[in-house]
Amino acid sequence: MFESLYPDKFQKSTYEIPFEQLYERGYRGILFDIDNTLVPHGAPADDRAIALFQRLRAIGFKTCLISNNREPRVKSFCDQVGSLYIYKAGKPLPKGYVSGMKKMGTTAEDTFFVGDQIFTDVLGAKRAGLFTILVGPIHPKEEIQIVLKRYLEKIVLYFYFRSLKKKRVEK
């Protein structure tokens, strides 16, 4: 019922993703959400985010951050971490994801997406044909429209984790 909303993978944190393994699997580009994926909502890049992007460049990844925020917020963050960006991306429409891949010179086959929301991040990335990694939100404080979506996400995640458990039992 909810399968079209399921991420391909779930990680508790962006900072726990095994990026080296994904590079070995042939991925070369990463599209990221910013708020509550890399830093708390509205926060500037911190030392951990800056170090992550240095690590990703050292591995060989190209990165692009796609956000529904306005350019000043997105550009400021991306200047700090040294990444390409798309602002006012229109997530969950696939246009912003496709634009991000075009900027990086990658394709849906060698690009994956990392974000914290099912109904914008994961849905949009799946529409663009991308491998998706859903991460837990960094901080519980969020805008009201996101808080309301989190209640619906809990339902989807309940069935997602139940399906994973069922797959493990069947193996």
Side-chain angles (χ1 to χ4, degrees):
M1 178 159 102
F2 295 114
E3 290 85 3
S4 64
L5 296 171
Y6 292 172
D8 295 299
K9 186 170 178 59
F10 176 82
Q11 290 284 159
K12 288 184 180 176
S13 167
T14 299
Y15 300 96
E16 295 177 6
I17 295 171
F19 291 105
E20 290 81 1
Q21 290 175 12
L22 290 161
Y23 191 85
E24 288 172 12
R25 286 176 48 190
Y27 290 103
R28 297 299 180 259
I30 310 171
L31 295 170
F32 283 99
D33 174 51
I34 299 172
D35 289 322
N36 249 350
T37 296
L38 295 165
V39 293
H41 187 80
D46 56 18
D47 291 341
R48 184 168 72 158
I50 293 166
L52 173 65
F53 280 82
Q54 289 171 342
R55 175 180 156 214
L56 295 173
R57 281 190 294 278
I59 293 169
F61 279 113
K62 294 178 183 174
T63 62
C64 184
L65 282 67
I66 66 169
S67 175
N68 286 344
N69 272 308
R70 294 187 179 113
E71 187 173 23
R73 160 70 176 137
V74 181
K75 182 181 184 322
S76 169
F77 189 93
C78 291
D79 286 349
Q80 291 176 295
V81 299
S83 181
L84 300 168
Y85 66 90
I86 303 289
Y87 66 96
K88 289 189 179 179
K91 296 184 289 183
L93 298 174
K95 185 180 109 182
Y97 300 84
V98 172
S99 295
M101 288 185 282
K102 189 174 182 179
K103 275 190 171 197
M104 291 188 296
T106 61
T107 66
E109 290 74 31
D110 65 359
T111 304
F112 65 94
F113 178 82
V114 179
D116 71 299
Q117 292 185 57
I118 290 173
F119 295 106
T120 50
D121 297 332
V122 171
L123 178 59
K126 286 187 133 335
R127 285 177 167 174
L130 297 170
F131 181 83
T132 59
I133 301 176
L134 178 69
V135 295
I138 288 178
H139 195 277
K141 186 175 188 245
E142 298 181 295
E143 296 174 339
I144 188 65
Q145 71 270 18
I146 296 171
V147 171
L148 296 174
K149 283 191 273 183
R150 293 286 186 205
Y151 288 109
L152 296 172
E153 284 184 356
K154 284 180 183 179
I155 296 166
V156 174
L157 287 172
Y158 168 80
F159 287 102
Y160 168 70
F161 288 119
R162 195 170 106 179
S163 75
L164 291 180
K165 196 176 198 180
K166 187 177 178 181
K167 285 178 186 174
R168 279 188 228 125
V169 169
E170 290 173 356
K171 286 184 178 181

